[in-house]
C-alpha cells in the first residue's frame, strides 16, 4: 500500500513524514528502510501477530507494510510543469491514496508561503493543480472518444460520462466529489482514467502542541472538516512536533508519553486506521512455527484470491481453506487440534469471502 504525503511548504509535511517513518524503525518488529530519500516503509502494528508469535514460538514475524512517499516540489503551475511539477504529479500517480497535510497552527517563527494561515486556500492550491492535470487528461480522452464514436455508437455513454466529469472539474471540484453518483460500472471506468483528483484522500490537520489534546478543535480544523465533509473525505488531527518527539522514545515509553499528554493514540496509528478504512482493506493471518504473518487484502476478497497473495500457485490450484477466527483460536490457546474438536475450524471453498482476522491454511494442488 502506497500513500503519498503532500502539502505546501512549512505545513509540517516533512516533519510528519520523518516522525512516522522513524516511529516504525524504533521497534524490532517494525522494520523500516529507506528506499530513496523521500520514501519510507513502515510496518503496520498488529497485536494479533505478537500473540500468535508467542503461541507458536515462530522463528519469524512478518507485518504488512505501508510505503509513505514524501512528495515534494509543488508550486502553483505544477500542472504546467512549473517547479518540480511533472515529478510531483508523477509521484502522486503512483500512490493508492493521498495524505494531504494542512497547517492548522499559528507560529510566528514558521513563515507561511502566502503570509497567512488559511487551510482552505492551502487545500485549493494543491487540488487546483490536480484538477488542471486531470482536465488535460480528459480533453485528450474526449478527443479520442469523439473520433472513435463515428465507428462505434456504443461509446456515446462513455463520452457523456467524460463530459460530466469535465464539467465538474471546470467548476474547481475534484472528481472524487462525484463518486456517490457513479454506478459501480462507472466507478470502474473512472478508476481506469487514473485521474489524480479521483484518488481517495485523507486530510491531516496539523495542530500546535497546546491543541493536540484539546477537547475543542480550533477554527482551522473546523474549516478543514467542513470542506472534507463535502467531498466525503476523512480528517485526522495530529501534532507533527509531538509525533517527532514520540519517534525518539523507546517503544515501552511511547504509550506513557501519550497518556501524560492526554492523547489517546499516535498520529501514525490514526493514519494507518484511516488508510485501511479509506481503501477498504482488511488483514487475514497465517500462523505456524516457521512464521506468523499478516496479509492485506480488499474487503470482499474471496478465498482463492486471498491465497494468491501468498503465491500464485495457491490461487491456481486452490482446493479449500481451513479457517478459524483469530478470537476463537486464542480461546483454544492456539491449539488447532482442540479447535477442530470443538468444530471451530471451518473448511471454506472458492466462494468464501475472507473476513478480517481469519487465520487461514490453504490446501492446493498444481
Amino acid at each position: 500500500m502506497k500513500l503519498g504525503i503532500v502539502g505546501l511548504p512549512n505545513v509540517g509535511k516533512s516533519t510528519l513524514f520523518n516522525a512516522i517513518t522513524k516511529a516504525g524503525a524504533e521497534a524490532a518488529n517494525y522494520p523500516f528502510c529507506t528506499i530513496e530519500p523521500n520514501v519510507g516503509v513502515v510496518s503496520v502494528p498488529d497485536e494479533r501477530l505478537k500473540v500468535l508469535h508467542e503461541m507458536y514460538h515462530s522463528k519469524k514475524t512478518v507485518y504488512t507494510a505501508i510505503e509513505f512517499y514524501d512528495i515534494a516540489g509543488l508550486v502553483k503551475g505544477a500542472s504546467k510543469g512549473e517547479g518540480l511539477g511533472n515529478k510531483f504529479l508523477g509521484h502522486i500517480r503512483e500512490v493508492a491514496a493521498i495524505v494531504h497535510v494542512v497547517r492548522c497552527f499559528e507560529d510566528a517563527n514558521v513563515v507561511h508561503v502566502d503570509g497567512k494561515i488559511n487551510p482552505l486556500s492551502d487545500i485549493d492550491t494543491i487540488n487546483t493543480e490536480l484538477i488542471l492535470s486531470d482536465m488535460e487528461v480528459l480533453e485528450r480522452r474526449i478527443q479520442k472518444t469523439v473520433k472513435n464514436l463515428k465507428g462505434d455508437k456504443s461509446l456515446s455513454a462513455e463520452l457523456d460520462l467524460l463530459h460530466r466529469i469535465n464539467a465538474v472539474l471546470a467548476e474547481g471540484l475534484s472528481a472524487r466529489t462525484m463518486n456517490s453518483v457513479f454506478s459501480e460500472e462507472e466507478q470502474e471506468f473512472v478508476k481506469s482514467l487514473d485521474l489524480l483528483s479521483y484518488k481517495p484522500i485523507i486530510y491531516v490537520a496539523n495542530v500546535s502542541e497546546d491543541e493536540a489534546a484539546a477537547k475543542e478543535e480550533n477554527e482551522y480544523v473546523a474549516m478543514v472538516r467542513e470542506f472534507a465533509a463535502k467531498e466525503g473525505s476523512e480528517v485526522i488531527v495530529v501534532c507533527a512536533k509531538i509525533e517527532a518527539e514520540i519517534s525518539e522514545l523507546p517503544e515501552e515509553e511511547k504509550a506513557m508519553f501519550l497518556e501524560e499528554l492526554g492523547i489517546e493514540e499516535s498520529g501514525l496509528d490514526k493514519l494507518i486506521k484511516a488508510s485501511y478504512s479509506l481503501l477498504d482493506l482488511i488483514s487475514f493471518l497465517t500462523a505456524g512455527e516457521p512464521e506468523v504473518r499478516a496479509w492485506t487484502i480488499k474487503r470482499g476478497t474471496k478465498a482463492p484470491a486471498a491465497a494468491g497473495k501468498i503465491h500464485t500457485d495457491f490461487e491456481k490450484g486452490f482446493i479449500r481453506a481451513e479457517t478459524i477466527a483469530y478470537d476463537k483460536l486464542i480461546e483454544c490457546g492456539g491449539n488447532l487440534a482442540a479447535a477442530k474438536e470443538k468444530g471451530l475450524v471451518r473448511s471454506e471453498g472458492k466462494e468464501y469471502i475472507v473476513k478480517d482476522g481469519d487465520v487461514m491454511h490453504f490446501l492446493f494442488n498444481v
Side-chain angles (χ1 to χ4, degrees):
M1 176 165 54
K2 297 180 181 179
L3 302 180
I5 303 180
V6 304
L8 296 181
N10 295 338
V11 299
K13 174 176 67 72
S14 293
T15 301
L16 182 65
F17 171 81
N18 291 335
I20 60 180
T21 51
K22 189 171 183 182
E26 288 295 313
N29 287 333
Y30 297 74
F32 161 81
C33 65
T34 300
I35 299 169
E36 57 182 75
N38 65 332
V39 181
V41 180
V42 179
S43 290
V44 176
D46 193 331
E47 291 297 321
R48 298 173 299 193
L49 291 188
K50 291 182 181 179
V51 175
L52 292 173
H53 174 87
E54 294 297 325
M55 281 185 168
Y56 287 92
H57 305 290
S58 304
K59 295 174 183 175
K60 188 165 70 167
T61 300
V62 183
Y63 294 82
T64 192
I66 295 179
E67 286 184 28
F68 286 100
Y69 281 57
D70 183 17
I71 299 175
L74 176 78
V75 293
K76 287 182 180 178
S79 60
K80 301 296 181 185
E82 293 291 330
L84 296 174
N86 292 330
K87 186 176 182 183
F88 170 84
L89 296 171
H91 281 156
I92 292 183
R93 215 169 287 284
E94 294 175 12
V95 301
I98 298 169
V99 177
H100 187 166
V101 182
V102 185
R103 178 170 171 173
C104 293
F105 65 88
E106 298 274 4
D107 189 337
N109 296 316
V110 182
V111 178
H112 190 283
V113 287
D114 292 333
K116 62 178 180 178
I117 311 301
N118 187 338
L120 296 188
S121 175
D122 293 1
I123 291 171
D124 184 63
T125 296
I126 287 181
N127 280 355
T128 296
E129 297 307 320
L130 303 188
I131 288 167
L132 289 173
S133 176
D134 286 348
M135 289 181 75
E136 287 187 13
V137 170
L138 282 178
E139 287 296 339
R140 290 194 295 270
R141 184 60 181 258
I142 286 170
Q143 289 174 13
K144 180 182 176 183
T145 305
V146 168
K147 185 178 178 181
N148 293 336
L149 184 63
K150 295 173 184 177
D152 186 357
K153 297 300 180 185
S154 66
L155 292 174
S156 57
E158 177 183 310
L159 184 61
D160 176 63
L161 179 56
L162 291 169
H163 280 302
R164 281 165 52 202
I165 299 168
N166 208 29
V168 168
L169 295 180
E171 293 176 13
L173 299 174
S174 298
R176 75 179 72 88
T177 61
M178 301 180 70
N179 202 42
S180 60
V181 301
F182 290 146
S183 67
E184 285 188 22
E185 187 178 348
E186 287 175 333
Q187 286 179 11
E188 288 305 312
F189 172 73
V190 178
K191 281 180 188 175
S192 73
L193 297 173
D194 201 21
L195 300 178
L196 300 179
S197 71
Y198 191 61
K199 286 186 180 291
I201 191 167
I202 299 168
Y203 292 100
V204 176
N206 184 19
V207 300
S208 67
E209 292 169 280
D210 294 337
E211 294 174 316
K215 292 183 179 179
E216 290 189 14
E217 296 174 344
N218 67 38
E219 61 176 318
Y220 300 132
V221 176
M223 292 165 69
V224 177
R225 283 202 188 280
E226 185 179 353
F227 176 87
K230 291 176 183 176
E231 60 174 34
S233 299
E234 187 169 350
V235 178
I236 64 172
V237 179
V238 304
C239 173
K241 276 190 175 181
I242 289 177
E243 294 303 315
E245 291 176 35
I246 292 171
S247 72
E248 299 292 336
L249 296 173
E251 186 65 25
E252 61 273 11
E253 293 180 20
K254 290 179 181 178
M256 193 184 306
F257 179 71
L258 287 171
E259 190 176 346
E260 286 175 2
L261 294 174
I263 300 173
E264 291 183 5
E265 59 183 342
S266 72
L268 176 59
D269 288 344
K270 283 183 186 178
L271 191 50
I272 287 172
K273 285 180 182 177
S275 302
Y276 266 64
S277 174
L278 180 72
L279 297 172
D280 207 17
L281 301 174
I282 62 170
S283 293
F284 72 90
L285 314 171
T286 53
E289 187 183 349
E291 71 170 30
V292 295
R293 184 165 184 159
W295 306 85
T296 298
I297 55 173
K298 273 273 189 184
R299 191 181 304 277
T301 298
K302 292 183 179 180
K309 289 284 289 186
I310 300 174
H311 197 285
T312 52
D313 284 350
F314 283 28
E315 182 173 7
K316 289 176 185 174
F318 180 88
I319 299 172
R320 66 180 185 276
E322 292 186 348
T323 307
I324 181 171
Y326 167 80
D327 292 342
K328 298 296 182 185
L329 180 60
I330 298 307
E331 286 175 17
C332 298
N335 189 323
L336 267 179
K340 285 179 178 178
E341 284 181 15
K342 293 182 178 181
L344 298 174
V345 178
R346 311 182 308 274
S347 181
E348 302 290 2
K350 293 183 177 180
E351 295 303 309
Y352 176 69
I353 295 175
V354 179
K355 296 177 178 61
D356 186 59
D358 275 349
V359 181
M360 309 187 78
H361 174 67
F362 297 102
L363 301 178
F364 70 103
N365 183 25
V366 178

